[in-house]
Amino acid sequence: MIKVANILKTIGHPLRLEVLEVLEAEEKLNVSQIKEAIQSKVEQSLLSHHLIKMKDKGILQSKKEGMHVVYRITDRNILKIFDCMEKCNF
């Protein structure tokens, strides 16, 4: 249960949830592409902070491609959380 709690704590921020939604649709994106795709108006430095935090916790992976660092979801099974939550009657 500790692993689950850590994952939920890490992705529980609204901006991080938006990032996961964007990366659900696109397999990999760089910071600029993610910034363009999310609804929130956020500085790129703050977005980078959140991406690094999710990478450090194992939610995202990054890879240098040319001049950009691209991010992708480490294990797409984490996206099942969205389906589960959408089916709940809150």
Side-chain angles (χ1 to χ4, degrees):
M1 283 296 176
I2 292 174
K3 181 179 179 181
V4 173
N6 285 332
I7 290 170
L8 291 174
K9 182 178 176 184
T10 302
I11 67 170
H13 189 279
L15 180 59
R16 293 177 189 175
L17 290 171
E18 275 190 272
V19 168
L20 289 174
E21 262 187 336
V22 167
L23 289 173
E24 179 179 23
E26 299 287 334
E27 186 168 327
K28 59 184 179 178
L29 295 171
N30 66 41
V31 179
S32 298
Q33 293 169 319
I34 294 170
K35 185 178 184 305
E36 288 178 25
I38 61 175
Q39 300 296 316
S40 299
K41 302 293 182 220
V42 63
E43 295 292 325
Q44 190 163 327
S45 60
L46 180 59
L47 176 59
S48 292
H49 168 78
H50 284 283
L51 291 169
I52 290 167
K53 187 69 101 173
M54 288 194 290
K55 179 185 170 201
D56 289 346
K57 297 295 184 176
I59 307 297
L60 299 180
Q61 291 179 335
S62 67
K63 180 180 178 184
K64 182 98 167 143
E65 289 189 0
M67 296 187 65
H68 300 283
V69 175
V70 294
Y71 290 88
R72 69 180 193 83
I73 298 170
T74 302
D75 184 351
R76 295 186 72 82
N77 282 321
I78 197 167
L79 300 172
K80 293 178 182 177
I81 292 171
F82 295 133
D83 294 333
C84 180
M85 295 303 293
E86 288 171 1
K87 291 176 184 173
C88 291
N89 294 319
F90 290 113

Coordinates of all heavy atoms in Angstrom, one line a residue:
M1 N 0.8 -1.2 0.0 CA 0.0 0.0 0.0 C 0.8 1.3 0.0 O 0.4 2.3 -0.5 CB -0.9 0.0 1.2 CG -2.1 -0.9 1.0 SD -3.1 -0.2 -0.3 CE -4.3 -1.5 -0.4
I2 N 2.1 1.2 0.5 CA 2.9 2.4 0.6 C 3.2 2.8 -0.9 O 3.2 4.0 -1.2 CB 4.2 2.1 1.4 CG1 3.8 1.9 2.8 CG2 5.2 3.2 1.2 CD1 5.0 1.5 3.7
K3 N 3.5 1.9 -1.8 CA 3.8 2.2 -3.2 C 2.6 2.9 -3.8 O 2.8 4.0 -4.5 CB 4.2 1.0 -4.0 CG 4.5 1.2 -5.4 CD 4.9 0.0 -6.1 CE 5.2 0.3 -7.6 NZ 5.5 -0.9 -8.4
V4 N 1.4 2.4 -3.6 CA 0.2 3.1 -4.1 C 0.1 4.5 -3.5 O -0.2 5.4 -4.3 CB -1.0 2.2 -3.8 CG1 -2.3 2.9 -4.2 CG2 -0.9 0.9 -4.5
A5 N 0.3 4.6 -2.3 CA 0.1 5.9 -1.6 C 1.2 6.9 -2.2 O 0.8 8.1 -2.5 CB 0.3 5.8 -0.1
N6 N 2.4 6.5 -2.5 CA 3.4 7.3 -3.0 C 3.0 7.8 -4.5 O 3.2 8.9 -4.9 CB 4.8 6.7 -3.0 CG 5.4 6.7 -1.6 OD1 5.1 7.5 -0.8 ND2 6.2 5.7 -1.4
I7 N 2.5 6.8 -5.2 CA 2.1 7.1 -6.6 C 0.9 8.2 -6.6 O 1.0 9.2 -7.3 CB 1.6 5.9 -7.4 CG1 2.8 5.0 -7.7 CG2 0.9 6.2 -8.7 CD1 2.5 3.6 -8.2
L8 N -0.1 7.9 -5.7 CA -1.2 8.9 -5.7 C -0.8 10.2 -5.2 O -1.2 11.3 -5.7 CB -2.3 8.3 -4.8 CG -3.0 7.0 -5.3 CD1 -4.0 6.5 -4.3 CD2 -3.8 7.4 -6.6
K9 N 0.1 10.3 -4.2 CA 0.7 11.5 -3.7 C 1.4 12.3 -4.9 O 1.3 13.5 -5.0 CB 1.6 11.3 -2.6 CG 2.2 12.5 -1.9 CD 3.1 12.2 -0.8 CE 3.7 13.4 -0.2 NZ 4.6 13.1 0.9
T10 N 2.1 11.6 -5.6 CA 2.9 12.2 -6.7 C 2.0 12.7 -7.8 O 2.3 13.8 -8.3 CB 3.9 11.2 -7.3 OG1 4.8 10.7 -6.3 CG2 4.8 11.8 -8.4
I11 N 1.0 12.0 -8.2 CA 0.2 12.4 -9.3 C -1.0 13.2 -8.9 O -1.8 13.7 -9.7 CB -0.3 11.2 -10.2 CG1 -1.3 10.3 -9.4 CG2 0.9 10.5 -10.7 CD1 -1.9 9.3 -10.3
G12 N -1.2 13.4 -7.6 CA -2.4 14.1 -7.1 C -2.5 15.6 -7.4 O -3.5 16.2 -7.2
H13 N -1.5 16.2 -7.9 CA -1.5 17.6 -8.2 C -2.2 17.9 -9.5 O -2.0 17.1 -10.5 CB 0.0 18.2 -8.3 CG 0.0 19.6 -8.4 ND1 -0.1 20.3 -9.6 CD2 0.3 20.6 -7.4 CE1 0.0 21.6 -9.4 NE2 0.3 21.8 -8.1
P14 N -3.1 18.9 -9.6 CA -3.8 19.1 -10.9 C -3.0 19.2 -12.1 O -3.3 18.7 -13.2 CB -4.6 20.4 -10.6 CG -4.7 20.4 -9.1 CD -3.5 19.8 -8.6
L15 N -1.8 19.9 -12.0 CA -1.0 20.1 -13.2 C -0.4 18.7 -13.6 O -0.3 18.4 -14.8 CB 0.1 21.1 -12.9 CG 1.1 21.4 -14.0 CD1 0.4 21.9 -15.2 CD2 2.2 22.3 -13.5
R16 N 0.0 17.9 -12.6 CA 0.6 16.6 -12.9 C -0.5 15.7 -13.6 O -0.1 14.9 -14.5 CB 1.2 16.0 -11.7 CG 2.4 16.7 -11.2 CD 2.9 16.2 -9.9 NE 3.9 17.1 -9.3 CZ 4.4 16.9 -8.1 NH1 4.1 15.8 -7.4 NH2 5.3 17.7 -7.7
L17 N -1.7 15.8 -13.2 CA -2.8 15.0 -13.8 C -3.0 15.5 -15.2 O -3.2 14.6 -16.1 CB -4.1 15.2 -13.0 CG -4.1 14.5 -11.7 CD1 -5.4 14.9 -10.9 CD2 -4.0 13.0 -11.8
E18 N -2.9 16.8 -15.5 CA -3.0 17.3 -16.8 C -1.8 16.8 -17.7 O -2.1 16.4 -18.9 CB -2.9 18.8 -16.9 CG -4.2 19.5 -16.6 CD -4.1 21.0 -16.9 OE1 -3.8 21.7 -16.0 OE2 -4.4 21.4 -18.1
V19 N -0.6 16.7 -17.2 CA 0.5 16.2 -17.9 C 0.3 14.7 -18.3 O 0.5 14.3 -19.4 CB 1.8 16.4 -17.1 CG1 3.0 15.6 -17.7 CG2 2.2 17.8 -16.9
L20 N -0.2 14.0 -17.3 CA -0.5 12.6 -17.6 C -1.6 12.4 -18.7 O -1.5 11.5 -19.6 CB -0.9 11.8 -16.4 CG 0.2 11.6 -15.4 CD1 -0.3 10.9 -14.1 CD2 1.3 10.7 -16.0
E21 N -2.6 13.3 -18.7 CA -3.6 13.2 -19.7 C -3.0 13.5 -21.1 O -3.4 12.9 -22.1 CB -4.7 14.3 -19.4 CG -5.9 13.7 -18.7 CD -7.0 14.7 -18.6 OE1 -6.8 15.9 -18.6 OE2 -8.2 14.2 -18.5
V22 N -2.2 14.5 -21.1 CA -1.5 14.9 -22.4 C -0.7 13.7 -22.9 O -0.7 13.4 -24.1 CB -0.7 16.2 -22.3 CG1 0.2 16.4 -23.4 CG2 -1.6 17.4 -22.0
L23 N 0.1 13.1 -22.0 CA 1.0 12.0 -22.4 C 0.2 10.7 -22.6 O 0.8 9.8 -23.2 CB 2.1 11.8 -21.3 CG 3.1 12.9 -21.3 CD1 4.1 12.7 -20.1 CD2 3.9 13.0 -22.6
E24 N -1.0 10.7 -22.2 CA -1.9 9.5 -22.5 C -2.2 9.6 -24.0 O -2.1 8.5 -24.7 CB -3.2 9.6 -21.7 CG -4.1 8.4 -22.0 CD -5.4 8.5 -21.2 OE1 -5.7 9.6 -20.7 OE2 -6.0 7.5 -21.0
A25 N -2.4 10.7 -24.6 CA -2.7 10.9 -26.0 C -1.5 10.8 -26.9 O -1.6 10.3 -28.0 CB -3.5 12.2 -26.2
E26 N -0.4 11.4 -26.4 CA 0.8 11.4 -27.2 C 1.9 10.6 -26.4 O 2.1 10.8 -25.3 CB 1.3 12.8 -27.4 CG 0.4 13.7 -28.1 CD 0.4 13.4 -29.6 OE1 1.3 12.9 -30.2 OE2 -0.7 13.7 -30.2
E27 N 2.5 9.7 -27.1 CA 3.4 8.8 -26.4 C 4.6 9.5 -25.8 O 5.0 9.2 -24.6 CB 4.0 7.7 -27.3 CG 4.8 6.7 -26.6 CD 5.1 5.4 -27.4 OE1 4.3 5.0 -28.2 OE2 6.2 4.9 -27.1
K28 N 5.2 10.5 -26.5 CA 6.3 11.2 -25.9 C 6.3 12.6 -26.4 O 5.9 12.9 -27.6 CB 7.6 10.5 -26.2 CG 7.9 10.4 -27.7 CD 9.2 9.6 -27.9 CE 9.4 9.5 -29.4 NZ 10.6 8.8 -29.8
L29 N 6.6 13.6 -25.5 CA 6.6 15.0 -25.8 C 7.7 15.7 -25.0 O 8.1 15.2 -24.0 CB 5.3 15.6 -25.4 CG 4.0 15.2 -26.2 CD1 2.8 15.8 -25.5 CD2 4.1 15.6 -27.6
N30 N 8.2 16.8 -25.6 CA 9.2 17.6 -24.9 C 8.4 18.6 -24.0 O 7.2 18.7 -24.1 CB 10.2 18.2 -25.8 CG 9.7 19.2 -26.7 OD1 8.8 20.0 -26.4 ND2 10.1 19.2 -28.0
V31 N 9.2 19.3 -23.2 CA 8.5 20.3 -22.3 C 7.7 21.3 -23.0 O 6.6 21.6 -22.6 CB 9.6 21.0 -21.4 CG1 8.9 22.0 -20.4 CG2 10.4 20.0 -20.6
S32 N 8.2 21.9 -24.1 CA 7.5 22.9 -24.8 C 6.2 22.3 -25.4 O 5.1 23.0 -25.4 CB 8.3 23.4 -26.0 OG 9.5 24.1 -25.5
Q33 N 6.2 21.1 -25.9 CA 5.0 20.5 -26.5 C 4.0 20.2 -25.4 O 2.8 20.4 -25.6 CB 5.4 19.2 -27.2 CG 6.2 19.4 -28.4 CD 6.8 18.1 -28.9 OE1 7.2 17.2 -28.2 NE2 6.7 17.9 -30.3
I34 N 4.4 19.8 -24.2 CA 3.5 19.6 -23.1 C 2.9 20.9 -22.7 O 1.7 21.0 -22.4 CB 4.3 18.9 -21.9 CG1 4.7 17.5 -22.3 CG2 3.4 18.8 -20.7 CD1 5.6 16.8 -21.3
K35 N 3.7 21.9 -22.6 CA 3.2 23.3 -22.2 C 2.2 23.7 -23.1 O 1.1 24.3 -22.7 CB 4.4 24.2 -22.1 CG 4.0 25.6 -21.6 CD 5.2 26.5 -21.5 CE 5.0 27.9 -20.9 NZ 3.9 28.6 -21.5
E36 N 2.3 23.6 -24.4 CA 1.3 24.0 -25.4 C 0.0 23.2 -25.3 O -1.0 23.7 -25.5 CB 1.9 23.8 -26.8 CG 2.9 24.8 -27.2 CD 3.5 24.6 -28.6 OE1 2.8 24.0 -29.4 OE2 4.6 25.0 -28.8
A37 N 0.2 21.9 -24.9 CA -1.0 21.0 -24.9 C -1.9 21.1 -23.6 O -3.0 20.8 -23.7 CB -0.5 19.6 -25.1
I38 N -1.3 21.5 -22.5 CA -2.1 21.6 -21.3 C -2.9 22.8 -21.2 O -2.6 23.8 -21.9 CB -1.2 21.5 -20.0 CG1 -0.2 22.6 -19.9 CG2 -0.5 20.1 -19.9 CD1 0.6 22.6 -18.6
Q39 N -4.0 22.7 -20.4 CA -5.0 23.8 -20.3 C -4.4 24.9 -19.4 O -4.8 26.1 -19.5 CB -6.3 23.3 -19.8 CG -6.9 22.3 -20.7 CD -7.3 22.9 -22.1 OE1 -7.8 24.0 -22.2 NE2 -7.0 22.1 -23.1
S40 N -3.7 24.6 -18.4 CA -3.2 25.5 -17.4 C -2.2 26.5 -18.0 O -1.3 26.0 -18.8 CB -2.6 24.8 -16.2 OG -3.5 24.0 -15.6
K41 N -2.2 27.7 -17.6 CA -1.2 28.6 -17.9 C -0.1 28.5 -16.9 O -0.3 28.8 -15.7 CB -1.7 30.1 -18.0 CG -2.9 30.3 -18.9 CD -2.4 30.1 -20.3 CE -3.6 30.3 -21.3 NZ -3.6 29.5 -22.4
V42 N 1.1 28.0 -17.3 CA 2.1 27.7 -16.3 C 3.5 28.1 -17.0 O 3.7 27.9 -18.2 CB 2.1 26.2 -15.9 CG1 2.3 25.3 -17.1 CG2 3.1 25.9 -14.8
E43 N 4.4 28.6 -16.1 CA 5.7 28.9 -16.6 C 6.4 27.5 -16.9 O 6.2 26.5 -16.2 CB 6.5 29.6 -15.5 CG 5.9 31.0 -15.2 CD 6.1 32.0 -16.4 OE1 7.2 31.9 -17.1 OE2 5.2 32.8 -16.6
Q44 N 7.3 27.6 -17.9 CA 8.0 26.4 -18.3 C 8.9 25.9 -17.2 O 9.0 24.6 -17.0 CB 8.8 26.6 -19.6 CG 9.4 25.4 -20.2 CD 9.9 25.5 -21.6 OE1 9.3 26.3 -22.3 NE2 10.9 24.8 -21.9
S45 N 9.4 26.7 -16.4 CA 10.3 26.3 -15.3 C 9.5 25.5 -14.2 O 10.0 24.5 -13.7 CB 11.0 27.5 -14.6 OG 10.0 28.4 -14.1
L46 N 8.3 25.9 -13.9 CA 7.4 25.2 -13.0 C 7.0 23.9 -13.6 O 7.0 22.9 -12.9 CB 6.2 26.0 -12.6 CG 5.2 25.4 -11.6 CD1 5.9 25.1 -10.3 CD2 4.0 26.3 -11.4
L47 N 6.7 23.9 -14.9 CA 6.3 22.6 -15.5 C 7.5 21.6 -15.5 O 7.3 20.4 -15.1 CB 5.9 22.9 -16.9 CG 5.5 21.6 -17.8 CD1 4.4 20.8 -17.2 CD2 5.2 22.1 -19.2
S48 N 8.7 22.1 -15.7 CA 9.9 21.3 -15.7 C 10.1 20.7 -14.3 O 10.4 19.5 -14.1 CB 11.1 22.1 -16.1 OG 11.0 22.4 -17.4
H49 N 9.8 21.5 -13.3 CA 9.9 21.0 -11.9 C 9.0 19.8 -11.6 O 9.4 18.8 -11.1 CB 9.6 22.2 -10.9 CG 9.4 21.7 -9.5 ND1 10.4 21.4 -8.7 CD2 8.2 21.5 -8.8 CE1 9.9 21.0 -7.5 NE2 8.6 21.1 -7.5
H50 N 7.7 20.0 -12.1 CA 6.8 18.9 -11.9 C 7.2 17.6 -12.7 O 7.0 16.5 -12.2 CB 5.4 19.3 -12.3 CG 4.7 20.2 -11.3 ND1 4.2 19.7 -10.1 CD2 4.5 21.6 -11.3 CE1 3.7 20.7 -9.4 NE2 3.9 21.8 -10.1
L51 N 7.7 17.8 -13.9 CA 8.1 16.7 -14.7 C 9.3 16.0 -14.1 O 9.3 14.7 -14.0 CB 8.6 17.2 -16.1 CG 7.4 17.7 -17.0 CD1 8.0 18.4 -18.3 CD2 6.5 16.6 -17.4
I52 N 10.2 16.7 -13.5 CA 11.4 16.1 -12.8 C 10.9 15.3 -11.6 O 11.4 14.2 -11.3 CB 12.4 17.2 -12.5 CG1 13.1 17.7 -13.8 CG2 13.4 16.6 -11.5 CD1 13.9 18.9 -13.6
K53 N 9.9 15.9 -10.9 CA 9.4 15.2 -9.7 C 8.8 13.9 -10.0 O 9.0 12.9 -9.4 CB 8.4 16.2 -9.0 CG 7.9 15.6 -7.7 CD 9.0 15.7 -6.6 CE 8.8 16.9 -5.7 NZ 9.7 16.9 -4.6
M54 N 8.0 13.9 -11.1 CA 7.3 12.7 -11.6 C 8.4 11.7 -12.1 O 8.2 10.5 -11.9 CB 6.3 12.9 -12.6 CG 5.0 13.6 -12.0 SD 3.6 13.6 -13.1 CE 4.1 14.8 -14.4
K55 N 9.4 12.2 -12.7 CA 10.5 11.3 -13.2 C 11.2 10.7 -12.0 O 11.5 9.5 -12.0 CB 11.5 12.1 -14.1 CG 12.6 11.2 -14.6 CD 13.6 12.1 -15.3 CE 14.8 11.2 -15.6 NZ 16.0 12.0 -15.8
D56 N 11.5 11.5 -11.0 CA 12.2 11.0 -9.8 C 11.4 9.9 -9.1 O 12.0 9.0 -8.5 CB 12.5 12.1 -8.8 CG 13.6 13.1 -9.3 OD1 14.3 12.7 -10.3 OD2 13.7 14.2 -8.8
K57 N 10.1 10.0 -9.1 CA 9.2 9.0 -8.5 C 8.9 7.8 -9.4 O 8.1 6.9 -9.0 CB 7.9 9.7 -8.0 CG 8.1 10.8 -7.0 CD 8.7 10.2 -5.7 CE 8.8 11.2 -4.6 NZ 9.3 10.7 -3.4
G58 N 9.4 7.8 -10.6 CA 9.3 6.6 -11.5 C 8.0 6.7 -12.3 O 7.7 5.7 -13.0
I59 N 7.3 7.8 -12.3 CA 6.0 7.9 -13.1 C 6.4 8.2 -14.5 O 5.7 7.6 -15.5 CB 5.1 9.0 -12.5 CG1 4.8 8.9 -11.0 CG2 3.8 9.1 -13.3 CD1 4.1 7.6 -10.6
L60 N 7.4 9.0 -14.8 CA 7.8 9.3 -16.1 C 9.2 8.9 -16.4 O 10.0 8.7 -15.4 CB 7.7 10.9 -16.3 CG 6.4 11.5 -16.2 CD1 6.5 13.0 -16.5 CD2 5.3 10.9 -17.2
Q61 N 9.5 8.8 -17.6 CA 10.9 8.5 -18.1 C 11.3 9.7 -19.0 O 10.4 10.3 -19.7 CB 11.1 7.2 -18.8 CG 10.9 6.0 -18.0 CD 11.0 4.7 -18.9 OE1 10.8 4.8 -20.1 NE2 11.3 3.6 -18.2
S62 N 12.6 10.0 -19.1 CA 13.0 11.0 -20.0 C 14.1 10.5 -20.9 O 14.9 9.6 -20.4 CB 13.4 12.3 -19.3 OG 14.6 12.1 -18.5
K63 N 14.3 11.1 -22.1 CA 15.3 10.7 -23.0 C 15.7 11.9 -23.8 O 14.8 12.6 -24.3 CB 14.8 9.5 -23.8 CG 15.8 9.0 -24.8 CD 15.2 7.9 -25.7 CE 16.3 7.4 -26.7 NZ 15.7 6.4 -27.5
K64 N 17.0 12.1 -24.0 CA 17.5 13.1 -24.8 C 17.3 12.7 -26.3 O 17.8 11.7 -26.7 CB 18.9 13.4 -24.5 CG 19.5 14.5 -25.3 CD 19.5 15.8 -24.5 CE 20.4 16.8 -25.1 NZ 20.0 18.1 -25.1
E65 N 16.6 13.5 -27.1 CA 16.4 13.3 -28.5 C 16.8 14.6 -29.2 O 16.1 15.6 -29.2 CB 15.0 12.9 -28.8 CG 14.7 11.5 -28.4 CD 13.3 11.0 -28.9 OE1 12.6 11.7 -29.6 OE2 13.0 9.9 -28.5
G66 N 18.0 14.6 -29.8 CA 18.5 15.8 -30.5 C 18.7 16.9 -29.4 O 19.4 16.6 -28.5
M67 N 18.1 18.0 -29.6 CA 18.3 19.1 -28.7 C 17.3 19.1 -27.5 O 17.3 20.0 -26.7 CB 18.3 20.4 -29.4 CG 19.4 20.6 -30.4 SD 19.5 22.2 -31.2 CE 19.9 23.2 -29.8
H68 N 16.3 18.2 -27.6 CA 15.2 18.2 -26.6 C 15.3 17.0 -25.7 O 15.8 15.9 -26.1 CB 13.9 18.3 -27.3 CG 13.7 19.5 -28.1 ND1 13.4 20.7 -27.6 CD2 13.8 19.7 -29.5 CE1 13.3 21.6 -28.6 NE2 13.6 21.0 -29.7
V69 N 14.7 17.1 -24.5 CA 14.5 16.0 -23.6 C 13.0 15.7 -23.8 O 12.1 16.6 -23.6 CB 14.8 16.3 -22.2 CG1 14.4 15.2 -21.3 CG2 16.3 16.7 -22.0
V70 N 12.7 14.4 -24.1 CA 11.3 14.0 -24.3 C 10.9 13.2 -23.0 O 11.7 12.5 -22.5 CB 11.0 13.3 -25.6 CG1 11.2 14.2 -26.8 CG2 11.8 12.1 -25.7
Y71 N 9.6 13.3 -22.7 CA 9.1 12.6 -21.5 C 8.0 11.6 -22.0 O 7.3 11.9 -23.0 CB 8.5 13.6 -20.5 CG 9.5 14.4 -19.8 CD1 9.9 15.6 -20.4 CD2 10.1 14.0 -18.6 CE1 10.9 16.4 -19.7 CE2 11.0 14.7 -18.0 CZ 11.4 15.9 -18.5 OH 12.4 16.7 -17.9
R72 N 7.9 10.5 -21.3 CA 6.9 9.5 -21.6 C 6.5 8.9 -20.3 O 7.3 8.9 -19.3 CB 7.3 8.5 -22.7 CG 8.3 7.6 -22.3 CD 8.6 6.6 -23.5 NE 9.4 5.5 -23.0 CZ 9.0 4.4 -22.5 NH1 7.7 4.2 -22.2 NH2 9.8 3.4 -22.1
I73 N 5.3 8.3 -20.3 CA 4.9 7.5 -19.1 C 5.6 6.2 -19.0 O 5.7 5.5 -19.9 CB 3.4 7.3 -19.1 CG1 2.6 8.7 -19.2 CG2 2.9 6.5 -18.0 CD1 1.2 8.6 -19.5
T74 N 6.2 6.0 -17.8 CA 7.0 4.8 -17.6 C 6.1 3.5 -17.8 O 6.5 2.6 -18.5 CB 7.6 4.8 -16.2 OG1 8.4 5.9 -16.0 CG2 8.4 3.5 -15.9
D75 N 5.0 3.4 -17.1 CA 4.1 2.3 -17.2 C 2.7 2.8 -17.4 O 2.1 3.4 -16.6 CB 4.2 1.5 -15.9 CG 3.3 0.2 -15.9 OD1 2.5 0.0 -16.9 OD2 3.4 -0.6 -14.9
R76 N 2.2 2.5 -18.6 CA 0.9 3.1 -19.0 C -0.3 2.5 -18.2 O -1.4 3.0 -18.3 CB 0.7 2.9 -20.5 CG 1.7 3.8 -21.3 CD 1.5 3.8 -22.8 NE 0.3 4.5 -23.2 CZ 0.3 5.8 -23.3 NH1 1.3 6.6 -23.1 NH2 -0.8 6.4 -23.8
N77 N 0.0 1.5 -17.4 CA -1.1 0.9 -16.5 C -1.5 2.0 -15.5 O -2.6 1.9 -15.0 CB -0.6 -0.3 -15.8 CG -0.6 -1.5 -16.7 OD1 -1.5 -1.7 -17.5 ND2 0.4 -2.3 -16.6
I78 N -0.7 2.9 -15.2 CA -1.1 4.0 -14.3 C -2.3 4.8 -14.8 O -3.1 5.3 -14.0 CB 0.1 4.9 -14.0 CG1 -0.2 5.7 -12.7 CG2 0.4 5.9 -15.2 CD1 1.0 6.5 -12.2
L79 N -2.5 4.8 -16.1 CA -3.6 5.5 -16.7 C -5.0 4.8 -16.3 O -6.0 5.5 -16.4 CB -3.5 5.6 -18.2 CG -2.2 6.3 -18.7 CD1 -2.0 6.2 -20.1 CD2 -2.2 7.8 -18.2
K80 N -4.9 3.6 -15.9 CA -6.2 2.9 -15.4 C -6.8 3.7 -14.2 O -8.0 3.5 -14.0 CB -5.9 1.5 -15.1 CG -5.5 0.6 -16.3 CD -5.2 -0.8 -15.9 CE -4.7 -1.6 -17.1 NZ -4.3 -2.9 -16.7
I81 N -6.0 4.4 -13.5 CA -6.5 5.2 -12.4 C -7.6 6.2 -12.9 O -8.6 6.3 -12.3 CB -5.4 6.0 -11.7 CG1 -4.5 5.0 -11.0 CG2 -5.9 7.0 -10.7 CD1 -3.2 5.6 -10.4
F82 N -7.4 6.8 -14.1 CA -8.3 7.7 -14.7 C -9.7 7.0 -14.9 O -10.7 7.5 -14.6 CB -7.8 8.3 -16.0 CG -6.6 9.2 -15.8 CD1 -5.5 9.1 -16.6 CD2 -6.6 10.2 -14.7 CE1 -4.4 9.9 -16.4 CE2 -5.5 11.0 -14.6 CZ -4.4 10.9 -15.4
D83 N -9.6 5.8 -15.6 CA -10.8 5.1 -15.9 C -11.6 4.7 -14.6 O -12.8 4.9 -14.5 CB -10.5 3.8 -16.6 CG -9.9 4.0 -18.0 OD1 -10.2 5.1 -18.6 OD2 -9.1 3.2 -18.5
C84 N -10.8 4.3 -13.6 CA -11.5 3.9 -12.3 C -12.2 5.1 -11.7 O -13.3 5.0 -11.2 CB -10.4 3.3 -11.4 SG -11.0 2.8 -9.8
M85 N -11.5 6.2 -11.6 CA -12.0 7.4 -11.0 C -13.2 8.0 -11.8 O -14.2 8.4 -11.2 CB -11.0 8.5 -10.9 CG -9.9 8.1 -9.9 SD -10.4 7.7 -8.2 CE -11.0 9.3 -7.7
E86 N -13.2 7.9 -13.1 CA -14.3 8.3 -13.9 C -15.6 7.5 -13.7 O -16.7 8.0 -13.8 CB -13.9 8.4 -15.4 CG -13.0 9.5 -15.7 CD -12.4 9.4 -17.1 OE1 -12.8 8.5 -17.9 OE2 -11.6 10.3 -17.4
K87 N -15.4 6.2 -13.3 CA -16.5 5.3 -13.1 C -17.2 5.5 -11.7 O -18.2 5.0 -11.5 CB -16.1 3.9 -13.3 CG -15.8 3.6 -14.8 CD -15.3 2.2 -15.0 CE -14.9 2.0 -16.4 NZ -14.2 0.7 -16.6
C88 N -16.4 6.1 -10.8 CA -16.9 6.3 -9.5 C -18.1 7.3 -9.5 O -18.1 8.3 -10.3 CB -15.8 6.8 -8.5 SG -14.6 5.6 -8.2
N89 N -19.0 7.1 -8.6 CA -20.2 8.1 -8.5 C -19.9 9.0 -7.3 O -20.4 8.7 -6.2 CB -21.5 7.3 -8.3 CG -21.8 6.5 -9.5 OD1 -21.7 6.9 -10.6 ND2 -22.3 5.3 -9.3
F90 N -19.2 10.1 -7.5 CA -19.0 11.1 -6.5 C -20.0 12.2 -6.6 O -20.4 12.6 -7.5 CB -17.6 11.7 -6.6 CG -16.5 10.7 -6.3 CD1 -15.6 10.3 -7.3 CD2 -16.3 10.2 -5.0 CE1 -14.6 9.4 -7.0 CE2 -15.3 9.3 -4.7 CZ -14.4 8.9 -5.7

